[in-house]
């Protein structure tokens, strides 16, 4: 069972990260940005936009399968912690520089997500208590 | 950040929130929950189509947004949709705002502000 969650969450993060990376690559491919048909044509002739769409569909189905069984708190956190993996990819693939203030911001957001995950877990426990009475 | 970036960010959060709310309405609406009937009810529900159109709009807005900002910054300030969806969940679906949820929302807001001004 532990293995099921580990593989499930790892796949969720992987698909999400591939999706966001492909989005950024598609955006670069379609430059310059313009509210025009030409821009849309550049977007949809980029092969990476289809990688992004496929990754999103895979994320959706992985999420649906996980959500049926996984505990709600960790599941909530896992569905948002792709920001961590995407930041690593940003540094690695796009040579982005993480400034100190941006790093502090990222840490605050992650702390916030952890609090929300605890809240989800507590609410879920209260609901199951009420239902079992 | 330029004003175009801010407008694109607001539109992104807006369409994501509309999409999520529409999907929630679509999910709770069908009365008949048996197999085929559930799906045929679902696809005739206009909320589902509002959700799909919002997501297509958001897809293009996200691409436009990522053209202008680094991915590491975009993904962080994009997570602000967690807050707007929670507030709408409270207003429309009477979902609870517990102590931990409020603390979590404050941390995320502070983080988004840090990343936004950097």
């Amino acid at each position: 069972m532990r293995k099921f969650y580990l593989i499930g969450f790892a796949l969720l993060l992987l698909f999400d990260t591939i999706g966001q990376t492909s989005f950024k690559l598609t955006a670069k491919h379609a430059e310059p940005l313009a509210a025009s048909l030409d821009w849309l044509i550049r977007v949809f002739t980029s092969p990476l936009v289809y990688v992004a769409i496929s990754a999103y569909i895979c994320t959706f189905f992985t999420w649906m399968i996980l959500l049926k069984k996984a505990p709600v708190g960790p599941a909530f956190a896992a569905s948002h912690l792709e920001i961590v993996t995407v930041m690593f990819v940003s540094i690695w693939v796009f040579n982005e520089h993480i400034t100190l203030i941006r790093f502090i911001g990222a840490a605050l957001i992650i702390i916030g997500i952890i609090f929300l995950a605890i809240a989800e877990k507590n609410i879920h426990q209260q609901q199951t208590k009420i239902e079992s009475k | 950040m330029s004003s175009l970036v801010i407008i694109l960010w607001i539109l992104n959060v807006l369409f994501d929130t509309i999409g999520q709310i529409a999907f929630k309405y679509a999910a709770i609406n069908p009365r008949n929950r048996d197999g085929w009937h559930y799906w045929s009810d679902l696809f005739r529900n206009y909320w589902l189509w509002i959700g799909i159109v919002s997501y297509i709009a958001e897809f293009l807005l996200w691409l436009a947004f990522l053209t202008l900002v680094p991915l590491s910054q975009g993904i962080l300030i994009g997570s602000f949709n967690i807050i707007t969806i929670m507030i709408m969940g409270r207003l429309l679906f009477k979902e609870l705002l517990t102590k931990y949820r409020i603390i979590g929302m404050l941390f995320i807001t502070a983080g988004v502000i840090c990343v936004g001004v950097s």
Side-chain angles (χ1 to χ4, degrees):
Chain A
M1 209 56 210
R2 236 185 118 80
K3 220 174 172 181
F4 170 84
Y5 292 139
L6 280 177
I7 294 170
F9 288 135
L11 280 177
L12 194 70
L13 284 175
L14 181 71
F15 289 138
D16 238 342
T17 312
I18 292 172
Q20 291 299 341
T21 313
S22 313
F23 259 112
K24 180 68 187 177
L25 289 167
T26 307
K28 280 189 153 181
H29 180 272
E31 268 176 320
L33 176 64
S36 68
L37 188 64
D38 279 345
W39 181 70
L40 283 179
I41 291 168
R42 286 199 297 274
V43 165
F44 287 102
T45 51
S46 161
L48 286 156
V49 79
Y50 300 101
V51 177
I53 294 168
S54 317
Y56 260 39
I57 294 169
C58 290
T59 308
F60 175 78
F61 282 108
T62 314
W63 180 233
M64 285 295 144
I65 295 165
L66 261 181
L67 211 57
K68 276 189 182 167
K69 294 183 181 176
V72 63
F76 179 89
S79 70
H80 292 287
L81 287 179
E82 98 267 5
I83 58 172
V84 178
T85 50
V86 171
M87 279 211 314
F88 280 116
V89 171
S90 307
I91 299 166
W92 179 46
V93 179
F94 301 106
N95 293 317
E96 288 177 14
H97 180 64
I98 310 287
T99 55
L100 180 65
I101 183 140
R102 214 175 273 181
F103 184 79
I104 293 168
L108 289 172
I109 294 172
I110 292 161
I111 294 168
I113 290 169
I114 292 167
F115 268 105
L116 293 181
I118 298 168
E120 297 299 311
K121 186 176 145 253
N122 289 348
I123 290 167
H124 183 73
Q125 276 174 349
Q126 272 167 4
Q127 277 169 350
T128 42
K129 238 185 239 169
I130 293 165
E131 276 159 23
S132 62
K133 263 180 194 167
Chain B
M1 282 198 290
S2 74
S3 53
L4 180 62
V5 171
I6 294 167
I7 291 167
L8 283 173
W9 173 63
I10 292 170
L11 287 176
N12 253 302
V13 172
L14 181 73
F15 277 101
D16 191 61
T17 311
I18 294 172
Q20 294 279 353
I21 291 162
F23 283 137
K24 176 77 181 176
Y25 273 123
I28 58 178
N29 209 279
R31 273 163 304 204
N32 201 329
R33 298 207 160 259
D34 299 326
W36 168 250
H37 291 289
Y38 175 78
W39 295 102
S40 79
D41 273 8
L42 189 66
F43 277 95
R44 266 182 280 147
N45 188 329
Y46 63 91
W47 280 113
L48 183 80
W49 298 102
I50 292 174
I52 290 170
V53 171
S54 307
Y55 265 44
I56 293 170
E58 198 209 342
F59 169 83
L60 294 170
L61 286 163
W62 186 243
L63 271 173
F65 180 68
L66 282 188
T67 310
L68 302 173
V69 299
L71 181 60
S72 56
Q73 195 181 12
I75 192 87
L76 288 173
I77 60 175
S79 61
F80 194 71
N81 62 6
I82 301 173
I83 310 257
T84 53
I85 291 163
M86 255 181 192
I87 292 170
M88 293 313 278
R90 166 76 195 173
L91 294 174
L92 299 174
F93 305 106
K94 306 277 177 283
E95 288 174 2
L96 289 174
L97 270 190
T98 61
K99 192 172 70 193
Y100 280 109
R101 271 192 178 161
I102 291 167
I103 296 169
M105 285 162 75
L106 290 175
F107 269 111
I108 293 175
T109 309
V112 168
I113 292 168
C114 278
V115 177
V117 299
S118 72

